[in-house]
Amino acid sequence: MAGRAATSSAKWAREFFFRRVSSNPLGATRNCSSVPGASSAPKVPHFSKKGRILTGATIGLAIAGGAYVSTADEATFCGWLFNATKVVNPFFALLDAEFAHKLAVSAAARGWVPREKRPDPAILGLEVWGRKFSNPIGLAAGFDKNAEATEGLLGMGFGFVEVGSVTPVPQEGNPKPRIFRLSQDGAIINRCGFNSEGIVVVAKRLGAQHGKRMLAETSGTSSSSGEEVKPGGKSGPGILGVNLGKNKTSEDAAADYVQGVHNLSQYADYLVINVSSPNTAGLRMLQGRKQLKDLVKKVQAARDEMQWGDEGPPPLLVKIAPDLSRGELEDIAAVALALHLDGLIISNTTVSRPDPVTNNPVAKEAGGLSGKPLFTLSTNMLKEMYTLTRGKIPLIGCGGVSSGEDAYKKIRAGATLVQLYTGFAYGGPALIPQIKEELVSCLERDGFKSIHEAIGADHR
């Protein structure tokens, strides 16, 4: 085992150094309105002095890893790689927030991130919408907006990854700067405004990934029929969600979402209608009872009129804001139940500024707040929605998750699945196995034998 791991590490190191030397470090940052046909991997932005320090640290880790792996088995080395990212991750805090984001996506797209080789504990596995999830921890939309790095992100051990929001026509979003860190509060404020490369580019990338998986299956490199079916979806191991948005200048929101369904649903394990971003004028008005009902009906009809195989159409979810009143929540729950919506994501970012961020000068920036200060607000709303829907609709808990205990609280409040984003931005890849390990401990501590047993436990 150690010999195979050493060989694998040496091969990885050679490929890593070759890529670093052969790539062009002086390439300009890609504009958000790239033309269709662009490369699936983002161009690496120009490296500043801080960027060169980050590169040097990464190379140092590669060298150290090559030396260490010769004495370790694959699982041990895998754990070492994830822990090693704790050394690199602080360097990202020295960079501009959006630049650091682009760099992280670029690294994941090129495979310069650790890959989880250890199987998830059986206690974390669950089935939702007929899809098998190896674990309930997912990456929320907003990180990989243009489906550039899905393989690398799923490979890090997320149970599912949600890309987007994707708009029909490419748009640059709001003016920069538009991402602001509140590091001491574990929070971020963003007002990106659905910056997207558009449906055509994203469809091409997802189509290529889908084709790659189909080729692997037909060539016999995937699991044989005699083996147990592994959790996974259309993009390969792990489940892929596609989050749909509308263009800023669009006068027909429903037409935008329908276009997204027609072009992207064949590659998605589930679809999300995003009507809750605070950074697109008028978008949150679509959460009103009549508006939401009309919108969901049109999107469901567009999905159902397409040709589907034995698996059927992808589930359709709606992502809602955390700033809704009790009456508004009741309206959304009524629509969800009446139209048999497949799920709700609770929640998006907040326009409020909960304690302790109120005294932070950065809190005055316009935009949606995410991270630790959002946890209580979003979790309380999750509890309310679980009660209003009587536990009949799968809920995805999102907002302020940065530990296994946080994820566990979301599940007990009514979440079937859990997403994080800001916690991942601050904690890096090492946070993923840490959250899963802590979640297992929480379940075992309270006597639960599965995730399903813990869902909504606070209501019983």
Side-chain angles (χ1 to χ4, degrees), residues 203-460:
K204 182 177 181 179
R205 290 195 182 114
L206 292 180
Q209 294 163 18
H210 183 67
K212 182 179 178 182
R213 174 169 169 76
M214 292 299 101
L215 180 63
E217 289 180 349
T218 55
S219 63
T221 57
S222 61
S223 299
S224 66
S225 58
E227 296 178 346
E228 181 181 354
V229 178
K230 295 182 178 180
K234 296 179 181 178
S235 65
I239 302 295
L240 180 70
V242 177
N243 186 300
L244 305 175
K246 67 175 286 291
N247 281 112
K248 182 178 181 179
T249 57
S250 174
E251 296 181 359
D252 188 344
D256 279 15
Y257 291 110
V258 166
Q259 191 174 347
V261 169
H262 284 161
N263 287 274
L264 300 175
S265 60
Q266 61 265 43
Y267 309 122
D269 294 304
Y270 70 88
L271 293 168
V272 181
I273 303 174
N274 187 351
V275 291
S276 52
S277 170
N279 303 312
T280 298
L283 185 70
R284 288 191 167 188
M285 293 176 62
L286 296 174
Q287 296 175 112
R289 186 168 188 149
K290 182 181 184 305
Q291 296 92 328
L292 184 62
K293 185 176 182 180
D294 291 344
L295 175 62
V296 171
K297 277 185 174 180
K298 291 178 181 178
V299 176
Q300 284 179 330
R303 178 198 61 176
D304 295 343
E305 71 185 10
M306 298 174 67
Q307 297 294 321
W308 299 104
D310 295 337
E311 290 185 353
L316 182 66
L317 290 73
V318 171
K319 187 169 186 175
I320 64 175
D323 308 306
L324 300 168
S325 67
R326 172 74 181 191
E328 290 169 324
L329 286 178
E330 291 174 351
D331 286 343
I332 291 173
V335 171
L337 289 170
L339 298 183
H340 304 289
L341 199 62
D342 297 299
L344 293 167
I345 300 180
I346 305 168
S347 67
N348 213 316
T349 58
T350 178
V351 294
S352 68
R353 297 294 182 261
D355 289 332
V357 303
T358 49
N359 296 325
N360 192 317
V362 182
K364 297 178 181 178
E365 293 287 349
L369 174 77
S370 61
K372 291 182 179 180
L374 177 59
F375 180 80
T376 300
L377 179 64
S378 61
T379 305
N380 287 341
M381 174 174 285
L382 176 66
K383 290 179 180 178
E384 287 191 62
M385 188 56 75
Y386 185 84
T387 299
L388 291 170
T389 57
R390 304 186 292 279
K392 293 183 176 181
I393 297 175
L395 306 177
I396 299 181
C398 182
V401 175
S402 58
S403 70
E405 187 71 39
D406 291 339
Y408 182 57
K409 288 178 179 178
K410 294 279 189 186
I411 292 168
R412 289 187 63 103
T416 299
L417 302 167
V418 177
Q419 288 180 325
L420 61 150
Y421 178 176
T422 302
F424 177 61
Y426 281 115
L431 186 64
I432 306 169
Q434 176 187 323
I435 285 181
K436 291 190 287 186
E437 182 179 348
E438 292 172 354
L439 179 55
V440 169
S441 296
C442 290
L443 291 166
E444 293 177 343
R445 178 193 66 202
D446 292 347
F448 294 115
K449 297 179 180 179
S450 69
I451 292 292
H452 277 299
E453 287 185 6
I455 296 171
D458 287 345
H459 300 265
R460 297 194 287 270

